[in-house]
Amino acid sequence: MPGEAVTTWVYAVTPEDTTPPSGVGVDDGPLRRVAHAGLAAVVSSVALSDPDEVDRRLRQPAELEALARTHHQVVTSCFEAGPTVPFRLATLYRGDDGVRRLLAERREELSAALATVAGRAEWGVQAYAVAAAPPPAEEPDPAAGPGTAYLLRQRGRRLAQQAAERAACEAAERIDRALAEVAVAVRPQSTGGGARQAGTLVLNTSYLVDEREQETFRATVEDLARRHAEVRVRLTGPWPAYSFVGIGRDE
Amino acid sequence: MTRFEADPVGHHPWQRVPLVDLLDRVLGKGVVVSGDLAICIAEVELVRLSLRLLLSSVRADLLEAAPLTAPAHTARGARVGGGAGAALPGHAAAALPAGGADTCHGRRAGRAGAPPVRPVEVDP
């Protein structure tokens, strides 16, 4: 409709000289690019002009999941085509002019971020403490009553658990040090992040890894996992470098 | 190449990107700039939603073994950029200060942002 405001959803910024994305984004809006001075924002138009409407959608689990998966899919297709600086979910502008302004105003930061992530991918590594083995049953002291025996057993269990978690933390530190040797950059994450598995989360860190080191990195993770029975290790990736673009978090 | 694979010692052939890992990245990471539309993302709310999504996808025995309310107390202090990289509180929602739950981006970004939740130091 002529004159009606169009909202522009920004997925990522790439160099202008990479292959333009094809396909569709959020709500099946065709992907296109807004370019300025060597940078290209990958965007699509969405019929979302009311912030409250966007809020409402983000609060519904099924909608949130669909939006997050679509956003990530577009970011990933950019990432497969070349250097990609991912944007946070639901970064919206009233039309393309705002996006152009963004590219002009943040040109240096965006270019620096592109240089950081070019030819690299993010890998997530999580380690969980393996539950302590039950302490060996001790000979019951004939003088001790059943209450004392119970308390002693409880204490033994607690100490074993503490020892297991301490060992797991030490293993996590060794694993982290070894992986940091292979990675270009390291960023610890919230221990709340990541799929939850049994056991205390003792390591949750993202590593930025050069393309040519990916296999080395994976092999190193596997090797470390094999050598550290104190933890169960989980590896995800390769991700677009979401955790290494560092723009806007501290404003 | 498979984009997402099981952990080397795990049993889950991840067919899709695990949702919690994904939300952690698309909400908690990436470039955060002021768009034209102020979207107010209530982190606590989103965490609750992601937990609900997670609960529906995790086996009950795993949950029994690892109650989601268990404190994740073994995080190490951040080394690179610290709290900035750990903005999504994840399962530590209960630790968020009351009233500071909403993080807005867009026009309201400057004044309504919750302080990033920093990982708790390891007990020595």
Side-chain angles (χ1 to χ4, degrees), chain A residues 7 48-51 54-55 58-62 64-65 68-69 71-72 76 79-80 85-95 98 101-102 106 110 122-124 126 165 169 173 176 180 186-206 215 218 221-222 225-226 232-240 242-243 245 247-251, chain B residues 1-12 14 16-43 45-46 49-50 52-54 58 62 65-68 70-92 102-105 107-110 117 119-120 122 124:
Chain A
T7 302
L48 289 167
S49 53
D50 177 7
V54 184
D55 281 348
L58 289 173
R59 278 161 209 278
Q60 291 171 1
L64 173 64
E65 174 165 9
R69 289 203 184 279
H71 183 83
H72 176 65
T76 300
F79 166 68
E80 283 168 347
V85 171
F87 273 53
R88 191 188 196 187
L89 188 73
T91 303
L92 296 165
Y93 286 87
R94 295 194 193 280
R101 222 167 24 245
L102 163 79
R106 311 299 285 260
L110 289 166
E122 174 176 338
W123 290 83
Q126 294 161 337
E165 290 197 3
C169 288
E173 278 175 29
D176 182 44
V186 180
R187 197 170 282 273
Q189 312 285 2
S190 153
T191 43
R196 192 84 193 171
Q197 297 186 355
T200 304
L201 185 57
V202 291
L203 176 70
N204 186 20
T205 299
S206 283
E215 286 313 313
R218 287 162 66 125
V221 172
E222 272 185 56
R226 238 190 334 267
R232 208 174 50 247
V233 177
R234 181 171 172 261
L235 172 69
T236 60
W239 294 90
Y242 282 101
S243 305
V245 292
I247 296 176
R249 301 273 356 160
D250 294 318
E251 290 171 81
Chain B
M1 188 201 289
T2 319
R3 297 214 62 75
F4 286 87
E5 59 164 43
D7 57 83
V9 293
H11 318 283
H12 301 279
W14 300 108
R16 320 174 74 189
V17 181
L19 185 59
V20 175
D21 294 290
L22 177 59
L23 289 180
D24 195 26
R25 284 179 171 82
V26 301
L27 292 171
K29 312 282 154 38
V31 173
V32 179
V33 292
S34 304
D36 291 337
L37 263 63
I39 307 304
C40 197
I41 296 179
E43 291 196 343
E45 181 72 6
L46 290 173
L49 292 176
S50 65
R52 198 194 301 159
L53 292 162
L54 180 67
V58 180
L62 276 182
L68 293 168
H73 58 81
T74 43
R76 288 156 314 120
R79 285 169 302 158
V80 184
L88 191 72
H91 306 296
D102 282 356
T103 293
C104 299
H105 71 114
R107 285 199 192 109
R108 283 172 276 172
V117 176
V120 181
V122 191

Side-chain angles (χ1 to χ4, degrees), chain A residues 10-25:
Chain A
V10 182
Y11 300 88
V13 164
T14 65
E16 195 177 355
D17 59 6
T18 50
T19 318
S22 55
V24 294

